[in-house]
Short mmCIF file of all heavy atoms in Angstrom, two decimals:
data_model
loop_
_atom_site.label_atom_id
_atom_site.label_comp_id
_atom_site.label_asym_id
_atom_site.label_seq_id
_atom_site.Cartn_x
_atom_site.Cartn_y
_atom_site.Cartn_z
N MET A 94 0.84 -1.21 0.00
CA MET A 94 0.00 0.00 0.00
C MET A 94 0.88 1.26 0.00
O MET A 94 0.48 2.28 -0.52
CB MET A 94 -0.89 -0.01 1.25
CG MET A 94 -2.06 0.96 1.16
SD MET A 94 -3.16 0.52 -0.21
CE MET A 94 -4.22 1.96 -0.23
N ASP A 95 2.05 1.14 0.60
CA ASP A 95 2.97 2.28 0.65
C ASP A 95 3.40 2.72 -0.74
O ASP A 95 3.53 3.91 -1.01
CB ASP A 95 4.21 1.93 1.47
CG ASP A 95 3.94 2.07 2.96
OD1 ASP A 95 2.93 2.71 3.31
OD2 ASP A 95 4.72 1.55 3.77
N SER A 96 3.62 1.74 -1.63
CA SER A 96 4.08 2.06 -2.98
C SER A 96 3.02 2.88 -3.73
O SER A 96 3.36 3.78 -4.49
CB SER A 96 4.39 0.78 -3.75
OG SER A 96 3.25 -0.05 -3.81
N VAL A 97 1.75 2.57 -3.49
CA VAL A 97 0.67 3.33 -4.13
C VAL A 97 0.66 4.76 -3.61
O VAL A 97 0.53 5.71 -4.38
CB VAL A 97 -0.71 2.67 -3.84
CG1 VAL A 97 -1.84 3.51 -4.42
CG2 VAL A 97 -0.74 1.25 -4.42
N LEU A 98 0.84 4.89 -2.29
CA LEU A 98 0.88 6.22 -1.67
C LEU A 98 2.01 7.05 -2.24
O LEU A 98 1.84 8.22 -2.58
CB LEU A 98 1.05 6.06 -0.16
CG LEU A 98 1.11 7.37 0.64
CD1 LEU A 98 -0.24 8.07 0.61
CD2 LEU A 98 1.51 7.10 2.09
N TYR A 99 3.20 6.43 -2.36
CA TYR A 99 4.36 7.13 -2.90
C TYR A 99 4.13 7.54 -4.36
O TYR A 99 4.50 8.62 -4.78
CB TYR A 99 5.61 6.25 -2.80
CG TYR A 99 6.25 6.29 -1.44
CD1 TYR A 99 6.41 5.13 -0.69
CD2 TYR A 99 6.70 7.49 -0.90
CE1 TYR A 99 6.98 5.15 0.57
CE2 TYR A 99 7.28 7.53 0.36
CZ TYR A 99 7.42 6.37 1.08
OH TYR A 99 7.99 6.40 2.31
N ALA A 100 3.51 6.65 -5.14
CA ALA A 100 3.24 6.94 -6.55
C ALA A 100 2.32 8.14 -6.67
O ALA A 100 2.56 9.05 -7.47
CB ALA A 100 2.61 5.72 -7.22
N VAL A 101 1.25 8.18 -5.87
CA VAL A 101 0.31 9.30 -5.88
C VAL A 101 1.00 10.58 -5.44
O VAL A 101 0.83 11.63 -6.04
CB VAL A 101 -0.91 9.01 -4.97
CG1 VAL A 101 -1.80 10.24 -4.83
CG2 VAL A 101 -1.71 7.83 -5.52
N LEU A 102 1.82 10.45 -4.38
CA LEU A 102 2.54 11.60 -3.84
C LEU A 102 3.47 12.21 -4.89
O LEU A 102 3.45 13.41 -5.12
CB LEU A 102 3.35 11.16 -2.61
CG LEU A 102 4.08 12.27 -1.86
CD1 LEU A 102 3.08 13.15 -1.15
CD2 LEU A 102 5.05 11.67 -0.86
N TRP A 103 4.27 11.36 -5.53
CA TRP A 103 5.23 11.86 -6.54
C TRP A 103 4.51 12.42 -7.76
O TRP A 103 4.96 13.37 -8.38
CB TRP A 103 6.19 10.75 -6.94
CG TRP A 103 7.29 10.60 -5.94
CD1 TRP A 103 7.49 9.54 -5.10
CD2 TRP A 103 8.32 11.54 -5.64
NE1 TRP A 103 8.58 9.79 -4.31
CE2 TRP A 103 9.12 11.00 -4.62
CE3 TRP A 103 8.65 12.81 -6.15
CZ2 TRP A 103 10.21 11.68 -4.08
CZ3 TRP A 103 9.74 13.48 -5.61
CH2 TRP A 103 10.51 12.92 -4.60
N PHE A 104 3.37 11.81 -8.13
CA PHE A 104 2.59 12.33 -9.26
C PHE A 104 2.08 13.72 -8.94
O PHE A 104 2.17 14.63 -9.76
CB PHE A 104 1.42 11.40 -9.57
CG PHE A 104 0.52 11.93 -10.66
CD1 PHE A 104 0.93 11.87 -11.98
CD2 PHE A 104 -0.71 12.49 -10.36
CE1 PHE A 104 0.12 12.35 -12.99
CE2 PHE A 104 -1.52 12.98 -11.36
CZ PHE A 104 -1.11 12.91 -12.68
N ALA A 105 1.56 13.90 -7.73
CA ALA A 105 1.06 15.20 -7.31
C ALA A 105 2.18 16.23 -7.28
O ALA A 105 2.01 17.36 -7.74
CB ALA A 105 0.41 15.09 -5.92
N ILE A 106 3.34 15.84 -6.76
CA ILE A 106 4.49 16.74 -6.69
C ILE A 106 4.94 17.15 -8.09
O ILE A 106 5.15 18.33 -8.37
CB ILE A 106 5.66 16.07 -5.93
CG1 ILE A 106 5.31 15.95 -4.44
CG2 ILE A 106 6.95 16.85 -6.12
CD1 ILE A 106 6.24 15.06 -3.67
N ALA A 107 5.04 16.16 -8.99
CA ALA A 107 5.46 16.44 -10.37
C ALA A 107 4.47 17.39 -11.04
O ALA A 107 4.87 18.33 -11.74
CB ALA A 107 5.57 15.14 -11.15
N LEU A 108 3.18 17.16 -10.82
CA LEU A 108 2.15 18.00 -11.41
C LEU A 108 2.25 19.44 -10.90
O LEU A 108 2.21 20.39 -11.68
CB LEU A 108 0.77 17.43 -11.06
CG LEU A 108 -0.42 17.97 -11.86
CD1 LEU A 108 -0.30 17.57 -13.32
CD2 LEU A 108 -1.72 17.42 -11.28
N ILE A 109 2.43 19.59 -9.59
CA ILE A 109 2.57 20.92 -8.99
C ILE A 109 3.79 21.64 -9.55
O ILE A 109 3.72 22.83 -9.90
CB ILE A 109 2.66 20.80 -7.45
CG1 ILE A 109 1.32 20.36 -6.88
CG2 ILE A 109 3.10 22.13 -6.83
CD1 ILE A 109 1.39 19.90 -5.44
N VAL A 110 4.91 20.92 -9.66
CA VAL A 110 6.14 21.52 -10.19
C VAL A 110 5.95 21.99 -11.62
O VAL A 110 6.34 23.10 -11.98
CB VAL A 110 7.32 20.52 -10.10
CG1 VAL A 110 8.53 21.05 -10.84
CG2 VAL A 110 7.67 20.27 -8.64
N VAL A 111 5.34 21.14 -12.45
CA VAL A 111 5.13 21.49 -13.86
C VAL A 111 4.21 22.70 -14.00
O VAL A 111 4.50 23.63 -14.76
CB VAL A 111 4.54 20.29 -14.64
CG1 VAL A 111 4.09 20.71 -16.04
CG2 VAL A 111 5.58 19.18 -14.75
N VAL A 112 3.12 22.70 -13.24
CA VAL A 112 2.17 23.82 -13.30
C VAL A 112 2.84 25.11 -12.82
O VAL A 112 2.70 26.16 -13.44
CB VAL A 112 0.92 23.52 -12.44
CG1 VAL A 112 0.06 24.77 -12.29
CG2 VAL A 112 0.11 22.39 -13.08
N THR A 113 3.58 25.01 -11.73
CA THR A 113 4.29 26.19 -11.19
C THR A 113 5.28 26.73 -12.20
O THR A 113 5.38 27.94 -12.41
CB THR A 113 5.03 25.82 -9.88
OG1 THR A 113 4.09 25.25 -8.98
CG2 THR A 113 5.65 27.05 -9.25
N MET A 114 6.01 25.83 -12.86
CA MET A 114 7.00 26.25 -13.84
C MET A 114 6.33 26.91 -15.04
O MET A 114 6.86 27.87 -15.61
CB MET A 114 7.84 25.06 -14.31
CG MET A 114 8.94 24.71 -13.34
SD MET A 114 9.89 23.28 -13.89
CE MET A 114 10.36 23.82 -15.52
N LYS A 115 5.17 26.40 -15.43
CA LYS A 115 4.45 27.00 -16.56
C LYS A 115 3.99 28.42 -16.20
O LYS A 115 4.04 29.32 -17.03
CB LYS A 115 3.24 26.14 -16.94
CG LYS A 115 3.61 24.97 -17.81
CD LYS A 115 2.35 24.27 -18.33
CE LYS A 115 2.66 22.97 -19.06
NZ LYS A 115 3.54 23.14 -20.21
N LEU A 116 3.54 28.59 -14.95
CA LEU A 116 3.07 29.90 -14.52
C LEU A 116 4.23 30.88 -14.36
O LEU A 116 4.15 32.03 -14.80
CB LEU A 116 2.33 29.77 -13.18
CG LEU A 116 0.99 29.03 -13.25
CD1 LEU A 116 0.42 28.84 -11.85
CD2 LEU A 116 -0.02 29.79 -14.11
N VAL A 117 5.31 30.42 -13.71
CA VAL A 117 6.44 31.30 -13.45
C VAL A 117 7.35 31.40 -14.68
O VAL A 117 7.91 32.45 -14.96
CB VAL A 117 7.24 30.80 -12.22
CG1 VAL A 117 8.47 31.67 -11.98
CG2 VAL A 117 6.34 30.80 -10.99
N GLY A 118 7.49 30.28 -15.40
CA GLY A 118 8.31 30.26 -16.60
C GLY A 118 9.79 30.29 -16.30
O GLY A 118 10.56 30.88 -17.05
N GLY A 119 10.21 29.66 -15.19
CA GLY A 119 11.63 29.69 -14.84
C GLY A 119 12.17 28.32 -14.49
O GLY A 119 11.62 27.62 -13.67
N TRP A 120 13.28 27.95 -15.15
CA TRP A 120 13.91 26.67 -14.85
C TRP A 120 14.68 26.75 -13.54
O TRP A 120 15.08 25.74 -12.98
CB TRP A 120 14.87 26.27 -15.98
CG TRP A 120 14.14 25.68 -17.13
CD1 TRP A 120 13.79 26.31 -18.27
CD2 TRP A 120 13.67 24.33 -17.26
NE1 TRP A 120 13.12 25.44 -19.09
CE2 TRP A 120 13.03 24.24 -18.51
CE3 TRP A 120 13.71 23.22 -16.42
CZ2 TRP A 120 12.44 23.04 -18.94
CZ3 TRP A 120 13.13 22.03 -16.85
CH2 TRP A 120 12.51 21.95 -18.09
N VAL A 121 14.92 27.97 -13.04
CA VAL A 121 15.65 28.15 -11.79
C VAL A 121 14.83 27.58 -10.63
O VAL A 121 15.37 27.10 -9.65
CB VAL A 121 15.92 29.66 -11.55
CG1 VAL A 121 16.63 29.86 -10.21
CG2 VAL A 121 16.75 30.23 -12.69
N LEU A 122 13.50 27.62 -10.78
CA LEU A 122 12.61 27.18 -9.71
C LEU A 122 12.65 25.67 -9.50
O LEU A 122 12.49 25.21 -8.37
CB LEU A 122 11.18 27.61 -10.08
CG LEU A 122 10.12 27.49 -8.97
CD1 LEU A 122 10.44 28.45 -7.84
CD2 LEU A 122 8.75 27.76 -9.55
N LEU A 123 12.89 24.92 -10.57
CA LEU A 123 12.81 23.46 -10.50
C LEU A 123 13.76 22.83 -9.48
O LEU A 123 13.30 22.09 -8.61
CB LEU A 123 13.04 22.86 -11.90
CG LEU A 123 12.89 21.33 -12.00
CD1 LEU A 123 11.48 20.90 -11.62
CD2 LEU A 123 13.23 20.87 -13.41
N PRO A 124 15.08 23.10 -9.55
CA PRO A 124 15.97 22.49 -8.56
C PRO A 124 15.66 22.91 -7.13
O PRO A 124 15.76 22.11 -6.20
CB PRO A 124 17.37 22.97 -8.96
CG PRO A 124 17.20 23.86 -10.13
CD PRO A 124 15.77 23.90 -10.51
N VAL A 125 15.26 24.17 -6.95
CA VAL A 125 14.92 24.67 -5.61
C VAL A 125 13.73 23.89 -5.05
O VAL A 125 13.77 23.42 -3.91
CB VAL A 125 14.59 26.18 -5.66
CG1 VAL A 125 14.11 26.66 -4.30
CG2 VAL A 125 15.80 26.98 -6.13
N VAL A 126 12.69 23.74 -5.85
CA VAL A 126 11.49 23.01 -5.42
C VAL A 126 11.82 21.55 -5.12
O VAL A 126 11.39 21.00 -4.11
CB VAL A 126 10.38 23.09 -6.50
CG1 VAL A 126 9.23 22.15 -6.17
CG2 VAL A 126 9.88 24.52 -6.63
N LEU A 127 12.62 20.93 -5.99
CA LEU A 127 12.98 19.53 -5.80
C LEU A 127 13.77 19.33 -4.51
O LEU A 127 13.52 18.38 -3.77
CB LEU A 127 13.80 19.02 -6.99
CG LEU A 127 12.99 18.72 -8.26
CD1 LEU A 127 13.92 18.33 -9.39
CD2 LEU A 127 11.96 17.63 -8.02
N VAL A 128 14.71 20.23 -4.24
CA VAL A 128 15.52 20.14 -3.02
C VAL A 128 14.64 20.27 -1.78
O VAL A 128 14.77 19.50 -0.83
CB VAL A 128 16.63 21.21 -3.01
CG1 VAL A 128 17.26 21.34 -1.62
CG2 VAL A 128 17.70 20.89 -4.05
N ILE A 129 13.71 21.23 -1.81
CA ILE A 129 12.80 21.43 -0.68
C ILE A 129 11.93 20.19 -0.45
O ILE A 129 11.78 19.72 0.67
CB ILE A 129 11.91 22.68 -0.91
CG1 ILE A 129 12.77 23.94 -0.88
CG2 ILE A 129 10.79 22.75 0.13
CD1 ILE A 129 12.03 25.18 -1.34
N ILE A 130 11.38 19.65 -1.54
CA ILE A 130 10.51 18.47 -1.45
C ILE A 130 11.29 17.27 -0.92
O ILE A 130 10.82 16.54 -0.04
CB ILE A 130 9.88 18.16 -2.82
CG1 ILE A 130 8.87 19.25 -3.18
CG2 ILE A 130 9.20 16.79 -2.81
CD1 ILE A 130 8.40 19.19 -4.61
N LEU A 131 12.49 17.05 -1.47
CA LEU A 131 13.30 15.91 -1.03
C LEU A 131 13.70 16.04 0.44
O LEU A 131 13.68 15.06 1.18
CB LEU A 131 14.55 15.78 -1.91
CG LEU A 131 14.29 15.24 -3.32
CD1 LEU A 131 15.55 15.35 -4.16
CD2 LEU A 131 13.80 13.80 -3.27
N ALA A 132 14.04 17.26 0.86
CA ALA A 132 14.41 17.51 2.25
C ALA A 132 13.21 17.22 3.16
O ALA A 132 13.35 16.62 4.22
CB ALA A 132 14.88 18.94 2.42
N PHE A 133 12.03 17.65 2.73
CA PHE A 133 10.80 17.43 3.50
C PHE A 133 10.50 15.94 3.64
O PHE A 133 10.22 15.45 4.72
CB PHE A 133 9.63 18.14 2.81
CG PHE A 133 8.30 17.85 3.44
CD1 PHE A 133 7.95 18.41 4.66
CD2 PHE A 133 7.40 17.01 2.82
CE1 PHE A 133 6.72 18.14 5.25
CE2 PHE A 133 6.17 16.73 3.40
CZ PHE A 133 5.83 17.29 4.61
N ILE A 134 10.58 15.21 2.52
CA ILE A 134 10.30 13.78 2.52
C ILE A 134 11.32 13.03 3.38
O ILE A 134 10.96 12.15 4.16
CB ILE A 134 10.28 13.22 1.08
CG1 ILE A 134 9.04 13.76 0.35
CG2 ILE A 134 10.27 11.69 1.09
CD1 ILE A 134 8.99 13.40 -1.11
N ALA A 135 12.61 13.41 3.26
CA ALA A 135 13.65 12.76 4.05
C ALA A 135 13.40 13.00 5.55
O ALA A 135 13.57 12.09 6.36
CB ALA A 135 15.03 13.32 3.66
N GLY A 136 12.99 14.21 5.89
CA GLY A 136 12.68 14.53 7.26
C GLY A 136 11.50 13.73 7.78
O GLY A 136 11.53 13.21 8.89
N ARG A 137 10.47 13.60 6.97
CA ARG A 137 9.29 12.83 7.37
C ARG A 137 9.62 11.35 7.53
O ARG A 137 9.14 10.69 8.44
CB ARG A 137 8.17 12.98 6.31
CG ARG A 137 7.56 14.38 6.25
CD ARG A 137 6.91 14.79 7.57
NE ARG A 137 5.79 13.94 7.91
CZ ARG A 137 4.54 14.36 8.07
NH1 ARG A 137 4.26 15.64 7.94
NH2 ARG A 137 3.59 13.52 8.38
N MET A 138 10.45 10.82 6.62
CA MET A 138 10.81 9.41 6.68
C MET A 138 11.65 9.14 7.93
O MET A 138 11.51 8.08 8.55
CB MET A 138 11.59 9.00 5.42
CG MET A 138 10.70 8.83 4.20
SD MET A 138 11.62 8.45 2.72
CE MET A 138 12.19 6.81 3.10
N ARG A 139 12.50 10.10 8.31
CA ARG A 139 13.34 9.93 9.50
C ARG A 139 12.46 9.92 10.75
O ARG A 139 12.72 9.19 11.70
CB ARG A 139 14.35 11.07 9.59
CG ARG A 139 15.67 10.61 10.21
CD ARG A 139 16.71 11.71 10.28
NE ARG A 139 16.99 12.29 8.97
CZ ARG A 139 16.82 13.59 8.66
NH1 ARG A 139 16.36 14.42 9.55
NH2 ARG A 139 17.12 14.02 7.46
N GLU A 140 11.38 10.71 10.74
CA GLU A 140 10.47 10.75 11.88
C GLU A 140 9.60 9.49 11.93
O GLU A 140 9.03 9.17 12.96
CB GLU A 140 9.55 11.97 11.77
CG GLU A 140 10.28 13.30 11.98
CD GLU A 140 9.38 14.49 11.68
OE1 GLU A 140 8.16 14.30 11.59
OE2 GLU A 140 9.91 15.59 11.54
N GLY A 141 9.48 8.81 10.79
CA GLY A 141 8.64 7.61 10.73
C GLY A 141 7.19 7.98 10.46
O GLY A 141 6.30 7.30 10.93
N TRP A 142 6.96 9.05 9.73
CA TRP A 142 5.62 9.53 9.38
C TRP A 142 4.80 9.79 10.64
O TRP A 142 3.63 9.70 10.65
CB TRP A 142 4.91 8.53 8.46
CG TRP A 142 5.64 8.43 7.16
CD1 TRP A 142 6.55 7.49 6.80
CD2 TRP A 142 5.56 9.31 6.04
NE1 TRP A 142 7.04 7.72 5.56
CE2 TRP A 142 6.46 8.83 5.07
CE3 TRP A 142 4.84 10.48 5.79
CZ2 TRP A 142 6.64 9.47 3.84
CZ3 TRP A 142 5.03 11.10 4.58
CH2 TRP A 142 5.92 10.59 3.60
#
C-alpha cells in the first residue's frame, strides 16, 4: 500500500512543479522546489511519518 501512496505523492508533486513552472516560466525554480521536497520527505521518513 505504501508504494501506491508514494506513486500518488510523486505524481502530485510532479504536477505541482510542472504547473508552477508554466506559470512562473523559470527553470531556476525546478531544482529549488525539488531540493525542498526531497528535504521534506527525508525529514518525514526519519520521523517515521
Side-chain angles (χ1 to χ4, degrees):
M94 196 62 189
D95 278 344
S96 58
V97 176
L98 180 68
Y99 279 120
V101 173
L102 184 70
W103 279 112
F104 176 75
I106 290 168
L108 194 66
I109 290 166
V110 171
V111 170
V112 170
T113 305
M114 279 179 54
K115 279 188 188 301
L116 291 174
V117 177
W120 280 99
V121 177
L122 191 66
L123 184 61
V125 175
V126 170
L127 284 176
V128 167
I129 292 170
I130 291 169
L131 287 172
F133 174 74
I134 290 174
R137 291 299 296 240
M138 284 177 69
R139 213 179 303 121
E140 291 172 14
W142 296 97

